[in-house]
Amino acid sequence: MERSAPQSLANFLTAEAQAIADRCTKCGQCVSVCPVIPYGAAVNTPSGQVVGGIVDFLGGQEQLDPASDTWASTCNGCGLCIPVCPEEINPRKMLALASARSASRGSKTPELFRRMSRAIKVMAAMQLIPEEFRRVFVPPRKRRAPIVFYLGCNALRTPHLLFNSMAVLDALDADYEVVGGPSSCCGVIATKWEGEISTGERVTANAIDRFEGFSPERVLNWCPTCQLHLGETLEGYRKTSYDFDHLTEYLVSRIDELRKKFVIPIARRVIVHAHVGRADICRNVDLLLRAIPGLEIIETVFESGYTCGGSGCSKSPELAAQEHNELLARADATGADILVTLYHGCHAVFIGAEAQGKFRVLNYTDLLVEALGGVPHADRLKEFRLLDDWRMIAEEGRPYLQANGLDIDPEWLKQHGPAIFASLEFKGQLDCFEKGHAHANPA
């Protein structure tokens, strides 16, 4: 984000799209290496024709042809296309721009942000005490802070990972403020999923302005989707005064200090889940885990995509299921004690596997906190998943909901809780939050 902001986000996106359309030769190499192609309507279409449809659409053609539309809508963000482009275009960004333009002509997930923000609030309120709930939902007072820890939105579904991360920052005596939740969304939902570009502009500007309010040197991000949206798709959109990094980049920069603070050996054999889409972050996690005394990394299994979940590998569900099964099989075959997850979406996908009793499922932040001599934050999402009884989940969650100001009928929660916790709004569902439904607005 080095150039000055254009007149509008719409103008910026149009200019970026046209620049790609002007440079692309439609050679099709990006399509040829794409892992999702065999699982969609583009499988029998010449690769040059598939990318050509995207390029023509970005250049002004009114409609996407079916094969090109399928490619754009099932892109899992793996980024394998980036190094093979002879014109040094970023095809992952090209498809993000095509998705935003397509959504502006008719979103497949209308009202996604409304439904998502309400689902997040319910899920977080069921897992956090009021003090914690306020910390991740209420914007802090502005002050000068060298670091902003940016949570994004969806990570609040698995809040224990965020509080683990804060415990590590606290152990390093980092001076930081926390910004996150739907009120500080990066804007990707409005821009890419709903096609509401003007709304996306306001949302993105609000998040960046909130960061700038602390005059930080660095904004440390947790969410990989925010990382791609603000750091890749919108690169150059606004001039900012801070460096935008992933949390792990900062932790690795202070790894020598962490090694001295890792006072509890963890004599466990682990298999690590990773994604090729942001291999740099996966390398950071590997370095952090290898700094923990006693911990043995048996294997790191890379899946395609840049994250698990609705905006990542779940966009190609058949491929995702295949890769997930292969990972679980490797964890079983190697006799690993722990399957280590990467992001919040990944953790939500795999925690249920612990029910098999063969290995534990922990996030890397759990291990960092344990090695520091602390107690990892309670993973109530895993507790709920393993409980697998929505009558009991509703009963256990209700005191937390009430303490956080949400008075939700237990019968409504029993009925709709499974869909809420499965993030089905990304599949165009979850109309339980719409008008006419009880407790549609858990404010």
Side-chain angles (χ1 to χ4, degrees):
M1 289 181 270
E2 297 176 353
R3 302 193 299 267
S4 298
Q7 181 178 358
S8 68
L9 179 59
N11 288 345
F12 173 81
L13 296 176
T14 298
E16 294 291 293
Q18 189 61 56
I20 289 176
D22 291 342
R23 290 172 58 197
C24 180
T25 63
K26 305 180 184 179
C27 71
Q29 290 193 41
C30 51
V31 178
S32 298
V33 300
C34 179
V36 308
I37 289 293
Y39 299 90
V43 62
N44 294 318
T45 306
S47 57
Q49 182 178 330
V50 176
V51 69
I54 297 291
V55 170
D56 292 343
F57 182 62
L58 292 179
Q61 182 174 291
E62 283 301 312
Q63 298 293 330
L64 272 170
D65 65 82
S68 302
D69 184 34
T70 297
W71 186 38
S73 62
T74 59
C75 172
N76 64 14
C78 72
L80 294 175
C81 51
I82 298 172
V84 303
C85 178
E87 307 304 322
E88 298 184 345
I89 293 168
N90 182 338
R92 180 166 64 190
K93 178 175 179 176
M94 174 181 71
L95 293 180
L97 294 170
S99 294
R101 187 166 190 264
S102 179
S104 70
R105 284 157 171 71
S107 174
K108 298 173 184 177
T109 51
E111 300 296 323
L112 174 58
F113 182 77
R114 181 188 300 275
R115 299 176 185 185
M116 181 193 76
S117 60
R118 283 157 175 72
I120 290 169
K121 194 167 188 178
V122 170
M123 290 181 67
M126 290 177 67
Q127 300 178 66
L128 299 174
I129 61 175
E131 180 182 356
E132 296 170 334
F133 188 78
R134 287 192 296 271
R135 188 169 191 190
V136 296
F137 275 97
V138 179
R141 291 183 179 181
K142 290 184 180 181
R143 68 175 180 90
R144 293 189 67 87
I147 295 173
V148 168
F149 180 34
Y150 181 45
L151 314 180
C153 297
N154 271 308
L156 271 67
R157 300 178 194 265
T158 54
H160 93 281
L161 308 181
L162 305 175
F163 282 92
N164 282 344
S165 300
M166 290 182 234
V168 179
L169 290 173
D170 291 341
L172 290 169
D173 294 321
D175 183 5
Y176 67 98
E177 288 289 353
V178 175
V179 172
S183 68
S184 300
C185 177
C186 69
V188 68
I189 298 297
T191 299
K192 182 179 175 183
W193 287 80
E194 297 178 326
E196 299 289 344
I197 307 302
S198 60
T199 300
E201 179 177 350
R202 292 195 299 273
V203 173
T204 297
N206 176 69
I208 294 175
D209 290 345
R210 191 161 285 177
F211 301 156
E212 293 282 12
F214 296 101
S215 301
E217 299 167 11
R218 307 176 78 166
V219 174
L220 304 180
N221 174 53
W222 168 272
C223 174
T225 300
C226 297
Q227 192 80 26
L228 288 185
H229 188 61
L230 294 176
E232 183 172 288
T233 304
L234 300 190
E235 183 181 10
Y237 172 56
R238 276 193 55 172
K239 183 178 179 63
T240 58
S241 61
Y242 52 81
D243 292 328
F244 189 70
D245 300 320
H246 191 263
L247 169 70
T248 57
E249 194 74 21
Y250 175 76
L251 297 183
V252 166
S253 75
R254 301 188 65 179
I255 197 165
D256 290 339
E257 296 169 71
L258 283 172
R259 282 196 184 95
K260 295 176 183 177
K261 294 177 179 291
F262 286 154
V263 294
I264 302 297
I266 303 177
R268 294 290 185 271
R269 301 171 71 248
V270 306
I271 190 165
V272 182
H273 163 68
H275 284 282
V276 298
R278 283 303 303 264
D280 56 331
I281 296 174
C282 300
R283 286 192 295 270
N284 291 341
V285 171
D286 181 80
L287 289 170
L288 292 167
L289 293 177
R290 292 185 187 280
I292 296 175
L295 195 69
E296 177 187 351
I297 299 178
I298 304 171
E299 185 178 353
T300 296
V301 178
F302 278 87
E303 295 186 350
S304 60
Y306 73 99
T307 183
C308 294
S311 60
C313 67
S314 294
K315 296 181 78 174
S316 182
E318 187 178 350
L319 173 60
Q322 175 183 316
E323 293 186 325
H324 291 347
N325 289 335
E326 290 172 355
L327 171 63
L328 294 174
R330 289 301 300 157
D332 188 15
T334 58
D337 301 307
I338 301 170
L339 169 61
V340 179
T341 60
L342 186 57
Y343 303 119
H344 52 281
C346 310
H347 195 69
V349 164
F350 288 107
I351 48 178
E354 193 168 304
Q356 300 172 9
K358 297 179 180 179
F359 47 80
R360 298 182 68 194
V361 179
L362 299 176
N363 186 258
Y364 72 91
T365 61
D366 289 310
L367 297 174
L368 297 182
V369 173
E370 184 177 344
L372 287 166
V375 178
H377 193 280
D379 186 353
R380 288 185 56 80
L381 184 63
K382 186 201 290 186
E383 293 172 10
F384 293 155
R385 187 71 55 82
L386 297 180
L387 189 59
D388 196 27
D389 182 329
W390 267 94
R391 180 167 296 278
M392 295 182 66
I393 293 171
E395 290 174 358
E396 288 196 13
R398 193 176 189 197
Y400 283 82
L401 288 167
Q402 291 178 326
N404 289 311
L406 276 70
D407 186 15
I408 295 179
D409 180 8
E411 293 303 318
W412 183 91
L413 188 58
K414 293 169 196 173
Q415 179 183 354
H416 300 293
I420 293 171
F421 274 65
S423 303
L424 292 188
E425 68 270 31
F426 284 93
K427 297 182 179 180
Q429 301 177 36
L430 221 63
D431 61 355
C432 59
F433 288 120
E434 298 307 303
K435 293 180 180 179
H437 291 262
H439 301 285
N441 299 294

